[in-house]
Amino acid sequence: MMSNDNRHVTSVADPAAMAEAAAERVIARISENPGRVAICLTGGSSPKQLYQLLGTDPWRSRIPWQRVHWFIGDERFVPADDPLNNMRVARKTFLDRCAPASNIHPIPTSTADPTDPDRGAALYEGELKAFYGADDLDPGRPLFDLVLMGVGPDGHTASLFPGDPLLDEVRRWVVGVHKANVEPFVPRITLTLPTLACCREMLFEVAGSDKRAILTRVFAGENLPATRARSSGETIWLVDQAALPENFRA
Ligand code: 6PG
């Protein structure tokens, strides 16, 4: 494990090894909390192998499903059964087979106005506050045990895009994003940086040579959403060999 600017970077061989390492982190965080556990999932293609592992033995039987709650850090503003819907991917891959329905917390996207993500954002903010039991986040009492993240080719993370004033949002927990910077070009709903940060651990999964250029910029500290996304606890980057920047190679 290498450390750089309070960020832990763990290099793994390939996407399969990355999924195993991420599954170990999920189990570790669950084991550290004997009570109600909250895990915030992510969209994109990077976490799919992890989701498959979590729904398959031996991992599946290591998870105390009754006391683990599953949230999502951002959502595409499409119906819950649309193939682009992030929570749909997680549900189909493992949640629907393993988790009690009341422990699955999707971001609502079927609001009255199909062009306005703000209402869904406000509803999800209400759900998070009810779960947390307070209207203000206290870093000493993390909202999430684990927050999974990915990074896009432009340095976005969750649905926080470069240059968007929403990156500076400190009051709202969840916001509507009317314009996406990358495909799919649908509105989004995303947790804000302070909400994502309120966790014991933030875990990025990054794989593939097409991610190496953006990762080089993120690790150099350029002002990008993925650079600014930090946990108030631990922030870990799992990076496969193909994505690992030159100066991080042994
Ligand atoms: C989304 C995501 C997004 C994703 C990155 C990385 O809804 O698209 O949550 O932030 O994590 O774009 O995506 P890949 O894993 O597909 O590279």
Side-chain angles (χ1 to χ4, degrees):
M1 182 174 281
M2 295 166 277
S3 204
N4 175 331
D5 188 20
N6 198 28
R7 176 193 291 128
H8 303 283
V9 180
T10 299
S11 69
V12 292
D14 52 28
M18 189 171 76
E20 294 266 340
E24 286 292 359
R25 297 305 316 147
V26 171
I27 299 297
R29 284 294 162 190
I30 293 173
S31 309
E32 277 163 29
N33 180 353
R36 187 183 65 168
V37 175
I39 295 183
C40 186
L41 301 171
T42 185
S45 55
S46 310
K48 282 186 192 164
Q49 280 198 52
L50 165 65
Y51 295 167
Q52 272 154 9
L53 288 186
L54 296 178
T56 318
D57 278 330
W59 303 97
R60 180 180 176 161
S61 51
R62 293 176 69 187
I63 297 175
W65 295 97
Q66 295 301 326
R67 64 180 181 89
V68 182
H69 288 255
W70 307 90
F71 295 86
I72 191 124
D74 76 305
E75 191 53 90
R76 287 93 179 262
F77 198 60
V78 294
D81 59 356
D82 189 299
L84 288 176
N85 187 283
N86 285 335
M87 196 52 128
R88 179 184 185 269
V89 173
R91 296 186 79 130
K92 290 252 169 240
T93 316
F94 77 112
L95 289 179
D96 281 349
R97 282 184 292 115
C98 307
S102 55
N103 290 12
I104 305 172
H105 303 267
I107 292 178
T109 54
S110 307
T111 54
D113 181 352
T115 61
D116 182 11
D118 295 337
R119 177 79 190 129
L123 287 171
Y124 206 52
E125 178 164 322
E127 180 164 354
L128 285 171
K129 285 179 173 173
F131 182 85
Y132 188 60
D135 285 347
D136 294 305
L137 291 167
D138 170 6
R141 187 170 72 85
L143 169 61
F144 300 116
D145 292 274
L146 181 68
V147 170
L148 296 173
M149 299 282 258
V151 55
D154 57 349
H156 81 262
T157 192
S159 280
L160 293 161
F161 297 100
D164 194 325
L166 290 171
L167 284 162
D168 297 318
E169 177 66 44
V170 289
R171 192 180 53 81
R172 287 176 293 169
W173 293 25
V174 188
V175 290
V177 180
H178 291 254
K179 201 171 172 300
N181 211 31
V182 296
E183 283 188 345
F185 294 107
V186 293
R188 314 285 186 97
I189 293 174
T190 188
L191 274 57
T192 54
L193 287 176
T195 314
L196 293 163
C198 196
C199 62
R200 295 182 198 283
E201 175 176 329
M202 182 178 284
L203 182 68
F204 282 86
E205 282 190 276
V206 190
S209 56
D210 55 337
K211 292 285 172 74
R212 195 189 295 173
I214 192 63
L215 217 47
T216 304
R217 292 169 58 194
V218 169
F219 287 177
E222 195 175 320
N223 184 5
L224 291 163
T227 314
R228 294 175 58 177
R230 298 283 172 104
S231 169
S232 51
E234 259 188 285
T235 305
I236 299 177
W237 286 73
L238 290 178
V239 182
D240 86 341
Q241 281 303 315
L244 200 64
E246 211 57 59
N247 56 333
F248 275 75
R249 288 167 187 274

